[in-house]
């Protein structure tokens, strides 16, 4: 089991093309931990904005009567992938891992696989 800081470091080092990572509480919109980013990628602003994305999707699913769980939300930009993984299991309710990838260097399938593995080892 790993803590938040270690999990974010693992995401940044083991996932090719990682630009930034965060653990976010989507009930409040607050980032519980961030790593990476920079002047062109403010992870605290991204955490709050992506909270709105998750809330909207959950509301829509409820209105449609969809009773499945969201695994990932993927937003593709011309140069980046933004991957949001909702946490399941022990203490994960209301949280998501957020990963920004450089599209030219990233392998999306491997990034999803690695993020799922990191989630499984995360201790909250």
């Amino acid at each position: 089991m790993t803590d938040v800081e270690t999990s974010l470091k693992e995401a940044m080092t083991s996932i090719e093309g990682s630009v930034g990572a965060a653990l976010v509480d989507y009930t409040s919109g607050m980032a519980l931990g961030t790593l990476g980013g920079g002047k062109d990628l403010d992870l605290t602003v991204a955490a709050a904005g992506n909270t709105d994305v998750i809330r909207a999707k959950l509301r829509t699913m409820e209105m449609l009567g969809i009773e499945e769980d969201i695994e990932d939300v993927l937003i593709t930009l011309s140069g980046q992938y933004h991957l949001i993984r909702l946490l399941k299991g022990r203490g994960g309710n209301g949280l998501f891992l957020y990963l920004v990838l450089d599209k030219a260097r990233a392998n999306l399938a491997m990034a999803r696989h690695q993020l799922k593995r990191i989630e499984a080892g995360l201790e909250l």
Side-chain angles (χ1 to χ4, degrees):
M1 294 293 175
T2 57
D3 63 9
V4 173
E5 182 179 341
T6 304
S7 295
L8 294 177
K9 284 180 185 175
E10 186 175 354
M12 290 296 291
T13 58
S14 70
I15 301 175
E16 184 70 29
S18 294
V19 175
L23 178 67
V24 182
D25 176 348
Y26 66 80
T27 59
S28 69
M30 300 294 294
L32 305 177
T34 63
L35 189 61
K39 71 176 184 74
D40 294 330
L41 178 61
D42 184 332
L43 289 170
T44 56
V45 171
N50 284 306
T51 291
D52 292 337
V53 170
I54 295 301
R55 288 177 184 163
K57 186 59 188 171
L58 290 170
R59 264 193 321 274
T60 302
M61 288 174 61
E62 184 179 345
M63 289 186 301
L64 293 171
I66 297 172
E67 295 183 15
E68 295 185 44
D69 293 328
I70 297 173
E71 289 181 1
D72 300 310
V73 174
L74 173 64
I75 300 168
T76 59
L77 306 177
S78 58
Q80 296 177 335
Y81 294 122
H82 291 235
L83 185 58
I84 301 167
R85 178 157 188 91
L86 274 68
L87 301 187
K88 310 284 185 274
R90 307 170 311 278
N93 266 356
L95 301 177
F96 64 83
L97 282 167
Y98 172 59
L99 183 66
V100 179
L101 301 162
D102 178 334
K103 202 172 186 179
R105 297 185 303 126
N107 177 320
L108 184 56
M110 286 302 296
R112 289 185 69 227
H113 177 72
Q114 290 286 68
L115 204 55
K116 184 176 182 178
R117 184 186 54 75
I118 290 168
E119 173 198 4
L122 180 60
E123 184 175 293
L124 301 170

